[in-house]
Amino acid sequence: MDRYVICGGERLSGQVKISGAKNAVLPILAGTLMTKNAVLKNVPNLSDVSYTVEILENLGMNITIENDKMNIINSGIVNTVLPTELCSKMRSSILLMGGMLASAGEVTIPYPGGCSLGSRPIDIHLKAVEKMGVEIAESSKGIYCKVRNLQGTKIKLPFPSVGATENIMLAGVLAKGETTISNCAIEPEIVDLAKFLNSIGAKISGAGTDTIVIKGVNELGGCCHRVIPDRIEAGTFMIAVAGAGGNVKIQDVIPEQLRPVISKLKEADVEVKEDENSVTVCSDGFIANTDIKTMPYPGFPTDMQAQFMGLMCGGLGTGIINETVFENRFMQVPEFIKMGADITIEGRCAVVKGVEKMKGAKVRATDLRAGAGLVITGLSAEGVTEITDIHYIDRGYENFDGKLRGIGADIIRINEQAVQ
């Protein structure tokens, strides 16, 4: 199992380029099930992307990758049972349901895996496609879904679930008639999925608002699509610079999508300058703790909560983090405490009292964003920090240690097998 070793205290400077968005490319890959060919650009090299590609190849698709460009040829689905081993590694495997139902008419999905962030029920997905004419049978091995008559309908989500919105969009593209999703998610990744689907011939309107309308079509073509930049990766680097101190230009971003993070960093007395496709963060490493409340977009992202907590551990004063999206997203707290943090959990709130100096320690990534938060803390901590279980980090950050070294961080990745 690989690990990071970080020597804290180095200021960061220079430029870093942000990769394509993990949370955009995964549903887009599911969408390629419904087209004969597609070229995707700005595809990040992540473990979740690799797992999805393996699943698609298992279903019969031909995929070639050159740097950040992916060529996909779909000559026909030859298998409708998703591989259990791969699906168990990633939560987003459930997104393949909508595309498979629209293209192949049936699918067997093992229960998805991924990070353990608490209850993330998939019943909202199942109830939606069931309303669209899909028969569903569940067993201990997974979920079998078969199209009876894929028909557009009106669906009101009980909460703005990103995954459910995406699955309904995917299923609705080739359904008969019109599908309307109300109280849907409005994240930028939803907009990017709609842009991709419209490029291959879908008729989707309203993406980015709380009501999406999909007019079913008979067939879809091919396209070339560039994946949007990863706003969570961008926010992570912004917070890393804020904590470690320095001056870094973060390139290939959409500043408007970073507005909640920019706002909170400015509240914490961090200087942030915006350009058309970049943001520059300038910090002396001393931040004033503030309060955050995670909310669906355009609120503060739950995927940035652990990183901001890592920043606040060494900040000035006390800040309160209110996690409203997931009930089990404070798993990183015991690891921060090993490094000297003063954090108290009160229900869904974490009270973070900044300490004068965090200390390096041996800690473990408990999930993707928690791992990124520990890296951020390690960059500013005194001494050496070792982070294990970094396979979680590989799920969402491309060449994380390499990019950090490129801006001055003292971080190395150690392969345990190579050491042995």
Side-chain angles (χ1 to χ4, degrees):
M1 200 72 71
D2 289 6
R3 58 190 166 99
Y4 285 148
V5 177
I6 304 170
C7 293
E10 299 294 331
R11 289 176 65 84
L12 307 179
S13 64
Q15 301 178 355
V16 62
K17 181 179 180 295
I18 297 304
S19 301
K22 163 187 177 283
N23 291 334
V25 72
L26 296 179
I28 287 171
L29 284 171
T32 65
L33 287 161
M34 300 182 293
T35 184
K36 292 184 179 179
N37 60 81
V39 176
L40 302 181
K41 296 181 178 180
N42 202 31
V43 177
N45 181 16
L46 306 171
S47 58
D48 271 15
V49 173
S50 297
Y51 296 146
T52 303
V53 167
E54 284 189 64
I55 293 172
L56 292 175
E57 289 176 333
N58 181 272
L59 299 176
M61 300 177 71
N62 186 286
I63 300 175
T64 57
I65 302 172
E66 183 179 351
N67 299 320
D68 67 347
K69 180 181 177 182
M70 187 178 291
N71 291 285
I72 302 169
I73 298 175
N74 182 1
S75 300
I77 306 301
V78 298
N79 178 21
T80 61
V81 180
L82 305 188
T84 300
E85 182 180 356
L86 292 170
C87 290
S88 66
K89 296 178 179 180
M90 47 185 283
R91 186 74 186 182
S92 58
S93 58
I94 190 65
L95 294 177
L96 295 167
M97 178 177 67
M100 283 294 291
L101 290 173
S103 60
E106 66 176 339
V107 64
T108 300
I109 309 173
Y111 292 105
C115 295
S116 300
L117 305 178
S119 176
R120 294 199 281 182
I122 60 174
D123 62 313
I124 186 173
H125 301 246
L126 302 180
K127 288 178 181 177
V129 296
E130 195 171 34
K131 192 174 181 182
M132 297 175 73
V134 176
E135 295 178 348
I136 297 170
E138 293 191 60
S139 70
S140 59
K141 295 183 179 180
I143 308 159
Y144 174 69
C145 306
K146 183 176 178 61
V147 170
R148 184 176 66 251
N149 178 30
L150 199 58
Q151 184 73 41
T153 186
K154 293 183 178 181
I155 299 171
K156 183 175 182 179
L157 297 178
F159 63 92
S161 163
V162 174
T165 300
E166 291 167 340
N167 246 332
I168 298 165
M169 289 170 65
L170 291 164
V173 166
L174 291 175
K176 296 176 183 177
E178 186 173 282
T179 301
T180 300
I181 318 169
S182 58
N183 195 35
C184 62
I186 64 173
E187 271 73 0
E189 294 78 17
I190 298 288
V191 178
D192 204 36
L193 175 60
K195 183 178 179 181
F196 166 77
L197 293 173
N198 284 339
S199 295
I200 62 176
K203 294 182 178 180
I204 301 173
S205 60
T209 75
D210 62 2
T211 302
I212 293 176
V213 177
I214 308 149
K215 295 182 179 179
V217 298
N218 293 324
E219 60 180 3
L220 298 166
C223 78
C224 180
H225 178 80
R226 181 176 178 82
V227 178
I228 60 172
D230 196 314
R231 60 192 172 98
I232 305 302
E233 183 194 9
T236 299
F237 275 97
M238 292 170 68
I239 292 174
V241 179
N247 190 316
V248 175
K249 185 176 184 178
I250 299 161
Q251 298 176 304
D252 289 359
V253 303
I254 301 174
E256 182 59 34
Q257 297 177 359
L258 300 170
R259 193 69 55 218
V261 178
I262 292 173
S263 176
K264 285 299 174 182
L265 284 176
K266 287 183 176 179
E267 281 185 26
D269 295 336
V270 177
E271 182 181 345
V272 182
K273 297 178 182 178
E274 300 177 43
D275 291 313
E276 185 178 355
N277 300 307
S278 68
V279 293
T280 300
V281 178
C282 183
S283 171
D284 59 9
F286 295 96
I287 67 110
N289 281 342
T290 185
D291 298 338
I292 67 170
K293 181 179 181 179
T294 64
M295 296 287 287
Y297 188 85
F300 191 91
T302 181
D303 278 353
M304 292 301 307
Q305 178 257 104
Q307 298 92 309
F308 212 88
M309 180 182 286
L311 175 66
M312 290 169 63
C313 286
L316 303 174
T318 299
I320 298 175
I321 298 175
N322 184 2
E323 173 58 61
T324 73
V325 180
F326 294 120
E327 79 277 11
N328 193 27
R329 203 156 201 180
F330 289 143
M331 292 189 297
Q332 71 272 10
V333 170
E335 305 305 309
F336 284 138
I337 290 174
K338 291 177 185 177
M339 301 178 71
D342 185 348
I343 305 173
T344 305
I345 304 298
E346 299 177 1
R348 284 200 170 195
C349 290
V351 180
V352 185
K353 296 180 180 179
V355 300
E356 184 175 347
K357 197 69 179 177
M358 295 287 282
K359 307 289 185 180
K362 186 169 184 178
V363 293
R364 59 178 290 266
T366 54
D367 62 69
L368 166 56
R369 307 305 175 184
L374 290 168
V375 170
I376 286 169
T377 306
L379 292 173
S380 60
E382 189 176 78
V384 177
T385 299
E386 293 188 26
I387 305 174
T388 61
D389 288 346
I390 62 173
H391 60 278
Y392 284 116
I393 300 175
D394 293 337
R395 293 186 53 233
Y397 294 93
E398 179 178 29
N399 187 28
F400 196 29
D401 57 312
K403 289 184 178 183
L404 286 168
R405 280 194 301 274
I407 54 175
D410 187 344
I411 178 174
I412 59 172
R413 181 179 184 127
I414 295 179
N415 184 302
E416 296 295 347
Q417 291 182 339
V419 172
Q420 294 172 3

